[in-house]
Amino acid sequence: MPNLEVTILDVLFKNPVITASGTFGFGREYAEYFDPSLLGGISTKGLTLNKKDGNKGIRLHETASGLLNSIGLQNPGVDAFIQDELPFMKQLETVILANVGGGCLDDYLKAVEKLNDTAIDMIELNISCPNVSSGGMAFGIKSVDAEKIVKEVKAVCKKPLIVKLSPNAENIVQMAESCVHSGADALSLVNTFSGMAIDILKRKPVFNNTIAGLSGPCIKPIALRMVHEVSKAVTVPIIGMGGIMDYRDAIEFIMAGSDLIQIGSGNFINPMISLDVVNGIEAFMDEQGIKQLSEIKGIAGKECFFN
């Protein structure tokens, strides 16, 4: 039988499939469909230091082969997460990535310090959210800004630190190198692309914030290219994501250089998608005679010929 286990930063994932932040909540709703313990991990709803109500107006809008969202990091805040959600998540017996966002550096630092002594396994630092009015995206565009926040957070963080990159960065490879240089233990990429939609009858943007985050199958080829480029530039583990809709997409990201993958918008279309991808990867490996995922990780960047 193929071995789907992946270990990064001394954390063991039973398989490479993680549900992406903001698409799986804290696992409660999806636990009604399948056992989340069968997943490699769960990235929490984006957490901020204090409770956040999120954006007003329309928050989701379908587009061709994709989804625009302007949620605005609605969440209960770190303290409420630790008290009310984390005990439940620990019962799921899978790796927990606490996704942390913030409006300013101090908010990030205080949130991470609160999470340091909890049972979470890793922190995923969100410097790449495109639909909040401050912080988030602002830190993920210029490398100099990212360097500062990653360095400061790393100095107080007691957990393995993953930095989530924005595809809207001025230079994604340079951004990745800067974050690693500043202390990132791993990288996850990519978050949503900046996009917008216009209501032609109302003659105004669909979203109150005008700009929203684009995800779904339409971004996959670009996300895949970015993962490929970053994987060749850095040596830290990479978690790839962006439009993964089935096991074939997941395998592509692994072959592009990802150690692990995250599934986002697909969770809204098919609540069983993450488990389907796990089973699909296993079946593919069995059929192809692949015993370990390390055999195909990054293979698309190497010379390989098949008869």
Side-chain angles (χ1 to χ4, degrees):
M1 291 291 291
N3 181 4
L4 272 67
E5 292 182 348
V6 178
T7 299
I8 67 167
L9 308 174
D10 296 324
V11 177
L12 173 64
F13 292 77
K14 60 190 70 174
N15 60 66
V17 179
I18 303 168
T19 54
S21 174
T23 66
F24 205 75
F26 301 110
R28 291 183 185 274
E29 295 82 3
Y30 288 88
E32 299 178 10
Y33 292 91
F34 69 94
D35 181 1
S37 70
L38 299 173
L39 300 176
I42 298 172
S43 182
T44 68
K45 181 78 182 73
L47 300 168
T48 51
L49 178 62
N50 300 308
K51 178 181 177 181
K52 201 170 187 302
D53 293 329
N55 293 335
K56 295 180 180 180
I58 292 174
R59 294 188 177 192
L60 294 174
H61 178 79
E62 289 188 53
T63 187
S65 297
L67 180 69
L68 284 162
N69 89 84
S70 182
I71 307 299
L73 290 178
Q74 177 181 339
N75 75 98
V78 170
D79 287 336
F81 163 74
I82 293 171
Q83 178 178 323
D84 302 327
E85 303 294 347
L86 186 54
F88 169 79
M89 293 192 74
K90 287 306 297 180
Q91 296 175 21
L92 302 180
E93 297 182 348
T94 190
V95 176
I96 301 173
L97 287 67
N99 184 282
V100 178
C104 64
L105 174 59
D106 192 53
D107 286 352
Y108 276 99
L109 296 177
K110 288 179 179 177
V112 168
E113 287 174 337
K114 284 177 177 288
L115 291 163
N116 273 337
D117 297 320
T118 68
I120 66 162
D121 299 289
M122 309 174 112
I123 285 177
E124 184 179 47
L125 195 68
N126 183 1
I127 61 170
S128 56
C129 184
N131 53 52
V132 292
S133 57
S134 62
M137 177 88 150
F139 296 114
I141 297 298
K142 296 182 179 295
S143 296
V144 64
D145 295 327
E147 283 182 1
K148 179 179 180 180
I149 191 168
V150 173
K151 184 176 181 180
E152 295 282 351
V153 170
K154 179 62 177 177
V156 302
C157 187
K158 297 179 182 178
K159 304 285 185 178
L161 181 64
I162 305 163
V163 178
K164 189 169 186 176
L165 303 184
S166 169
N168 305 296
E170 292 179 334
N171 183 312
I172 192 71
V173 173
Q174 185 181 77
M175 174 65 71
E177 292 173 330
S178 295
C179 289
V180 171
H181 177 73
S182 300
D185 299 308
L187 302 172
S188 60
L189 65 150
V190 297
N191 206 328
T192 54
F193 287 73
S194 291
M196 70 177 291
I198 295 173
D199 185 323
I200 61 173
L201 297 179
K202 294 182 179 179
R203 304 182 185 187
K204 68 177 185 178
V206 167
F207 298 103
N208 286 8
N209 279 5
T210 302
I211 304 302
L214 176 66
S215 61
C218 58
I219 75 168
K220 190 197 106 179
I222 312 172
L224 191 67
R225 184 262 299 172
M226 290 182 168
V227 166
H228 171 69
E229 291 177 344
V230 168
S231 72
K232 293 171 71 68
V234 301
T235 57
V236 300
I238 289 175
I239 304 173
M241 72 194 85
I244 296 175
M245 299 301 293
D246 59 28
Y247 79 90
R248 297 175 187 84
D249 295 332
I251 292 293
E252 282 192 69
F253 272 87
I254 292 169
M255 288 185 173
S258 300
D259 295 87
L260 304 161
I261 61 97
Q262 288 188 13
I263 297 175
S265 296
N267 289 302
F268 301 137
I269 300 169
N270 172 15
M272 299 287 292
I273 187 173
S274 298
L275 185 58
D276 290 346
V277 170
V278 172
N279 293 333
I281 291 174
E282 183 174 33
F284 174 81
M285 292 174 67
D286 188 43
E287 176 187 299
Q288 295 292 314
I290 301 166
K291 296 180 180 180
Q292 305 273 351
L293 286 168
S294 59
E295 296 175 31
I296 59 171
K297 182 207 163 187
I299 200 168
K302 305 172 184 176
E303 286 191 8
C304 56
F305 302 93
F306 295 95
N307 294 324

